[in-house]
Amino acid sequence: MKTSELTGTLLDYWVARSEGTVPTADAQLKFMPSTAWAQGGPIIEREKIMIAWNANGWIAGVTDFVDRSEGHLSKGPTALVAAMRAFVTSRLGDVVSDDAPVAADRKSNA
């Protein structure tokens, strides 16, 4: 699955995997960085993820240095979704497995 298309529980699962964790079903129901600023915000700060709004929605980028052209840019309907997509892309690449063992989706797909 393309990381640019990840949403909901699946996006949160891959954020956890990007953090080096294989979340249990119970942990997945509590870890929601793509919708909870208290969880996604610290990742944004630590990874220095840049977030901006443009006419087409939110964009977020992960790069080592602001003046470099290399990096990982993602889009999303919200700032958190864009940022978490950028984070997953920076750690795992443009494509992740689509057979991830995720808990039942507890939020609407953004």
Side-chain angles (χ1 to χ4, degrees), residues 6 9-19 88 92 96-97 100:
L6 293 173
T9 305
L10 198 54
L11 176 54
D12 294 337
Y13 172 84
W14 286 109
V15 170
R17 292 297 305 268
S18 297
E19 292 274 69
V88 172
L92 302 177
V96 294
S97 173

Side-chain angles (χ1 to χ4, degrees), residues 16-98:
R17 292 297 305 268
S18 297
E19 292 274 69
T21 305
V22 179
T24 63
D26 185 50
Q28 289 180 44
L29 297 174
K30 296 175 184 170
F31 185 64
M32 302 178 289
S34 68
T35 57
W37 278 98
Q39 295 172 359
I43 295 170
I44 292 168
E45 285 187 10
R46 183 188 72 229
E47 300 297 321
K48 298 171 183 63
I49 298 173
M50 297 173 286
I51 303 169
W53 170 260
N54 73 12
N56 298 318
W58 289 97
I59 56 173
V62 178
T63 183
D64 290 336
F65 300 98
V66 175
D67 60 349
R68 288 176 119 181
S69 61
E70 303 113 31
H72 306 279
L73 185 66
S74 295
K75 298 176 183 178
T78 68
L80 279 174
V81 168
M84 294 305 105
R85 285 176 178 170
F87 176 61
V88 172
T89 302
S90 74
R91 294 284 178 98
L92 302 177
D94 294 326
V95 178
V96 294
S97 173
D98 58 357

